[in-house]
Amino acid sequence: MKKVALLGAGAVGAYFIWGLSEKLGENFCVVAKGARKEKLETEGIIINDKRYVPTVKEPEELEQVDLLIVACKYEALPDAMDDIRTIVKEHTIVISFLNGVTSEEIIGHAVGIEHLLYGVIRISSVRDGNKITFSEENTAGIYVGEKDFTEPTERVRAVEEVFKDTLIRYHFVENIMVDMWMKYASNISQNLPQAILNVGFQAYKDSEHVHFIAEQLWKEVAKVANAKGIPLTDRFLLFRGVNPDARFSTLQDLDAGRHTEIEMFAGEMIRMGNACGVPVPYCEYTYHLIKALEEKNDGKFVY
């Protein structure tokens, strides 16, 4: 496995630019086109105060990609599907590091599920314009596995070689589906309430009320996961090693006046809950609150 391409050079994608650029050199590129391509080529991207100017290629320029890393925002995925179809060839492996639990199905439907490995990234990064910052010491890294195998397959080992001797922290996971749903539950229960309240992470420890809301959200995710055959525990697990003032991605988006990934979080939960016949009232309420905050940011309530 020699050539690696990255689709999405934001808060998540920056981790791969930071971690793979030195080892892979010209065999690593960012996929972009138009104004985004020009900006990356001229301005680069600042990651932990260091400027990186990655090789940038349009999808049509890529002849053979061995590994495609998808790290765009969930709402950008539909527009990226044509690019993914162009990039993926017969032997291309795709790993999606989007939040949530549905991007693999979406990509697999377009290019064939046989191309997908499953992955989770655990990183707390902050984006401010063209600058991305994260703590190298506190970043757990990436977790990779096969949906239907608990032992590392040949292609899992091939992917592991890509990340060997790099700054990326790589972990093989025996039951990647449970790991993905655990992160999903963590995001819904701890990413969303703080965004509504506009408070740091410590609120989950200091307030029985904030903790209660988070716990109920986790339990709803667990019920849907269990209905889909995923043995996710209903015991609420709080993030560890997080700074008291940490503001996760949804709150960062609202702070910056951006639309959030609420459709991927609570929106998908509502749809999956309906499909499974599992009520998710806390998720539904949370969904509408954050959609209302987006409308507020958009100026809808300036009377």
Side-chain angles (χ1 to χ4, degrees):
M1 196 170 277
K2 296 180 179 179
K3 295 188 180 295
V4 178
L6 169 69
L7 184 61
V12 171
Y15 185 59
F16 297 99
I17 296 173
W18 170 83
L20 294 177
S21 294
E22 183 175 343
K23 176 182 177 179
L24 298 183
E26 292 296 316
N27 285 326
F28 174 71
C29 73
V30 174
V31 181
K33 52 191 178 183
R36 179 59 175 158
K37 180 177 187 290
E38 183 179 346
K39 186 172 183 179
L40 281 169
E41 290 176 328
T42 56
E43 298 181 16
I45 182 170
I46 310 300
I47 306 171
N48 289 349
D49 297 324
K50 180 179 177 180
R51 181 171 177 261
Y52 292 80
V53 184
T55 300
V56 186
K57 294 186 178 182
E58 297 189 10
E60 294 76 15
E61 296 180 276
L62 298 170
E63 294 182 359
Q64 175 60 44
V65 171
D66 299 309
L67 175 63
L68 173 62
I69 298 168
V70 181
C72 60
K73 284 275 195 176
Y74 180 80
E75 63 268 22
L77 186 59
D79 290 337
M81 290 312 305
D82 285 342
D83 294 342
I84 293 173
R85 290 188 190 95
T86 300
I87 296 165
V88 174
K89 304 297 191 296
E90 182 180 358
H91 299 294
T92 305
I93 292 173
V94 183
I95 307 179
S96 170
F97 288 105
L98 275 67
N99 285 318
V101 292
T102 58
S103 65
E104 289 80 8
E105 293 180 10
I106 295 169
I107 297 169
H109 181 74
V111 301
I113 199 69
E114 67 275 8
H115 290 280
L116 272 292
L117 276 179
Y118 287 67
V120 169
I121 184 168
R122 289 186 168 90
I123 183 171
S124 180
S125 55
V126 177
R127 178 173 68 134
D128 181 11
N130 197 36
K131 296 181 179 180
I132 310 291
T133 57
F134 60 86
S135 168
E136 179 181 351
E137 295 78 16
N138 294 330
T139 295
I142 64 172
Y143 298 75
V144 176
E146 294 271 15
K147 181 179 180 182
D148 299 316
F149 298 92
T150 57
E151 297 293 329
T153 59
E154 183 179 341
R155 62 183 192 158
V156 166
R157 292 191 179 96
V159 168
E160 184 177 1
E161 284 298 314
V162 172
F163 296 103
K164 188 177 180 180
D165 299 322
T166 73
L167 296 171
I168 303 289
R169 291 179 175 171
Y170 173 94
H171 313 269
F172 167 72
V173 181
E174 292 183 358
N175 196 334
I176 188 64
M177 299 306 292
V178 172
D179 214 52
M180 288 175 59
W181 275 86
M182 185 171 291
K183 185 188 177 186
Y184 189 44
S186 297
N187 266 318
I188 287 177
S189 64
Q190 294 158 68
N191 200 326
L192 305 185
Q194 71 149 199
I196 295 168
L197 292 165
N198 192 16
V199 293
F201 174 78
Q202 189 67 22
Y204 294 107
K205 298 180 180 180
D206 289 345
S207 169
E208 64 177 293
H209 309 293
V210 181
H211 188 279
F212 176 85
I213 294 167
E215 188 174 27
Q216 298 311 307
L217 286 167
W218 180 291
K219 288 181 177 180
E220 287 186 354
V221 178
K223 287 178 181 178
V224 172
N226 295 165
K228 294 172 72 67
I230 308 296
L232 176 68
T233 179
D234 66 354
R235 182 167 64 90
F236 176 52
L237 301 172
L238 199 62
F239 282 135
R240 295 180 179 179
V242 179
N243 291 334
D245 61 348
R247 301 166 78 83
F248 300 138
S249 62
T250 302
L251 184 49
Q252 287 183 39
D253 286 338
L254 291 174
D255 284 343
R258 299 186 294 260
H259 279 206
T260 72
E261 294 184 297
I262 190 60
E263 290 294 344
M264 179 191 59
F265 290 135
E268 287 292 346
M269 267 296 300
I270 293 168
R271 288 185 278 275
M272 288 188 288
N274 288 336
C276 295
V278 177
V280 289
Y282 280 89
C283 277
E284 197 163 349
Y285 186 57
T286 299
Y287 171 84
H288 289 290
L289 278 172
I290 291 182
K291 293 295 284 187
L293 288 170
E294 290 180 346
E295 290 178 333
K296 182 181 178 182
N297 274 347
D298 291 343
K300 189 170 184 176
F301 309 134
V302 180
Y303 303 122

